[in-house]
Amino acid sequence: MPIKLPLLHLLLLLRLGAAAEAVSPPFINATIAACEVSVSPSVVEAQTVGTYQSLTVNCSCCDSIAEAGWLVAVRASISNAQIAAITAMNRRERQAIPVQAALRRRCDVGEACTFREFPYSAGEVKQLYIEANNVGRARILISLFAVNSSSWAQLKSVVRKPAAQPEADSEDSLPNKVPLGSGEISIVALRKQRMIDRAFEWSIGLVASVLAFCMGCMTDLRETRPHYKRPLALLTCLILQHLFLPPIALGLYKLFGIADDMGFGLVAIATMPGGGMAHLTVFLMSGDRNLSAAISLLNALINLGLSPAWLSLFTHYLQFELLHYRLVLWLLMLFISQFIGSLVATCRPGLAQAALNWVGRPLLLLATILMVTLGIYINHYAIDHLESKEMGCVLAFIASGFCLGGLASYLVKLDKPRRKTLAAETACCACLVAIPAIRMSCDSPTADLATIMPLAAAIFTPAPIIVYLVSHRVKGLLGSFIDKRKEKQSRHYSIVSSLAKMAEDVTAVSAPLVIEEGEDGSAEKQKVTTL
């Protein structure tokens, strides 16, 4: 017995020494030191969604390592799993590559990061495929590892573990691994250009222009003169919209950490305030409609200069390309439409009312149907990109506009209708015209990703309005209920006090005698109770 314990220790030491020698033998270290790994191509600039792009993994030492009894694993890490995926077969060509084991897991590094591992044994996987799934940009890191030949069984056991286990989320999924090298690929996935996309963009621009004309038909220029003579509310709103909203949008883009393309879209709608949604909001909130009309007309004119100026600064900061003349053309079309409508309303009120009845209302219904049906079908990619931080950023921008307009109007001591007008005008933007203006002024995928923010703003802008209307309705119902309650209590108190007064009068004069003369002139005594 005393001798077995040292022998057991000796056997364990010998076993560990052999395992250590098997993990990293000297010839493996020498081979790895001279190993070169490269991936081609290194940049995929324009891959259409739904297509495949082949990647060739070149390794100078992998065959030598495989001949020595080791295996080589390929790890493909993707920065954004929504944009692309790595596969070992081209499904379109049905070219299957034998894969012994594959490990799919997710890692949280601030974005949707996914990596997958393939065996590279005996040159089985020298070519991988990138499958473009959605519009956007992604980075792919291809890493090669030398793995002990006895580790594949352990790797398979790791693959079979549930993803919720902590062991399955660690970076050391390949036991006894030795890094060989890596290569990085940048991918840009683009949408396939279709005729229906162009038709949607032009139809949205046409709807925005006709709605601007209808909004002008509701603007009598003679009724807006008092606001130009006393321009306190007008100047306050314009300063808030054109000097405060773009920096606020830039700050929210940085605060929420959204993508640069979506940040550009948020700043773009911040530089295009006003629009038909603002005028409709003022109408629903019982604001000053004449003030709203004056602000909208001036915004349509000022946007021609300040919107390209703000966007030039932002695109220079992000190194984006912007076709300014296309942006100005869309904004100019909006201004001309609204100005013509205002002239018609001033000179021919009957014709303006007919245009509202026969054009404005049907077109508003058509625009709603168009956005709900065709808009969702064409822009369904936006649903995958619109996550919680993007929605929170848009809602914060809209809420900050309402709060900023309400606070500023309170500080300059405006009346209640004009406070509502400034709050609504500061929070609403011309989202409809921003969609075709951005898409035709920028290159893809910037144009496709930037238009997600106008779409989200068009959806979420009515949310504060609905909250206001519901709260206003609830407040009215509660006020009516309280008034009826007070009236009922007051009536009950009046009845009780009258009865008490009657009781006091009856006690004081219980049955006085009143002498009345009869028809024949004789006096007659009667008992009369006075209440």
Side-chain angles (χ1 to χ4, degrees), residues 178-473:
V178 180
L180 300 178
S182 61
E184 186 172 345
I185 305 103
S186 299
I187 175 176
V188 178
L190 310 178
R191 278 200 311 155
K192 185 178 180 180
Q193 295 296 326
R194 301 169 297 178
M195 289 296 297
I196 191 172
D197 297 327
R198 290 300 181 188
F200 172 75
E201 294 166 6
W202 282 101
S203 61
I204 285 293
L206 179 62
V207 168
S209 300
V210 177
L211 289 179
F213 171 77
C214 295
M215 186 170 61
C217 289
M218 295 184 293
T219 306
D220 191 343
L221 296 178
R222 291 168 295 188
E223 296 179 357
T224 60
R225 289 178 184 175
H227 299 290
Y228 294 112
K229 293 180 179 179
R230 295 181 179 179
L232 178 60
L234 195 64
L235 292 177
T236 303
C237 186
L238 293 177
I239 290 173
L240 293 177
Q241 290 176 324
H242 295 282
L243 297 183
F244 283 82
L245 283 185
I248 288 176
L250 182 61
L252 291 175
Y253 146 69
K254 287 294 186 181
L255 179 63
F256 283 85
I258 60 178
D260 294 340
D261 303 302
M262 296 187 187
F264 170 73
L266 184 65
V267 175
I269 61 174
T271 60
M272 303 177 190
M277 181 62 72
H279 198 69
L280 179 62
T281 305
V282 172
F283 173 75
L284 294 176
M285 295 176 64
S286 301
D288 192 335
R289 296 173 59 184
N290 293 328
L291 176 60
S292 174
I295 292 172
S296 299
L297 188 59
L298 285 179
N299 273 331
L301 179 62
I302 296 174
N303 288 344
L304 294 173
L306 286 185
S307 180
W310 276 111
L311 293 181
S312 297
L313 293 175
F314 194 75
T315 51
H316 179 74
Y317 170 71
L318 295 178
Q319 297 182 353
F320 287 164
E321 293 184 1
L322 180 67
L323 299 177
H324 296 83
Y325 72 94
R326 293 186 179 180
L327 179 67
V328 172
L329 286 177
W330 281 104
L331 296 175
L332 180 62
M333 184 174 64
L334 201 69
F335 168 72
I336 292 175
S337 302
Q338 187 170 352
F339 184 70
I340 292 175
S342 302
L343 291 179
V344 172
T346 305
C347 301
R348 300 290 298 274
L351 182 60
Q353 188 63 35
L356 289 175
N357 294 333
W358 295 99
V359 178
R361 294 175 182 175
L363 193 64
L364 184 60
L365 179 61
L366 177 62
T368 305
I369 297 174
L370 185 68
M371 288 293 295
V372 172
T373 56
L374 188 60
I376 293 178
Y377 170 72
I378 293 176
N379 303 289
H380 65 277
Y381 71 93
I383 300 175
D384 298 329
H385 290 279
L386 199 60
E387 298 180 352
S388 58
K389 59 181 180 180
E390 284 80 13
M391 291 187 288
C393 186
V394 173
L395 289 174
F397 174 73
I398 297 171
S400 62
F402 272 104
C403 296
L404 183 64
L407 179 62
S409 60
Y410 177 78
L411 292 177
V412 297
K413 299 180 179 180
L414 299 178
D415 55 5
K416 191 172 182 180
R418 288 191 290 177
R419 289 181 191 175
K420 296 179 181 179
T421 303
L422 261 67
E425 288 286 345
T426 311
C428 299
C429 300
C431 299
L432 284 182
V433 75
I435 295 173
I438 293 174
R439 284 194 175 175
M440 295 187 182
S441 303
C442 301
D443 296 330
S444 186
T446 301
D448 297 319
L449 297 176
T451 50
I452 294 176
M453 305 309 280
L455 290 170
I459 295 172
F460 293 127
T461 297
I465 306 170
I466 294 174
V467 172
Y468 170 79
L469 293 177
V470 171
S471 61
H472 188 70
R473 181 62 176 170

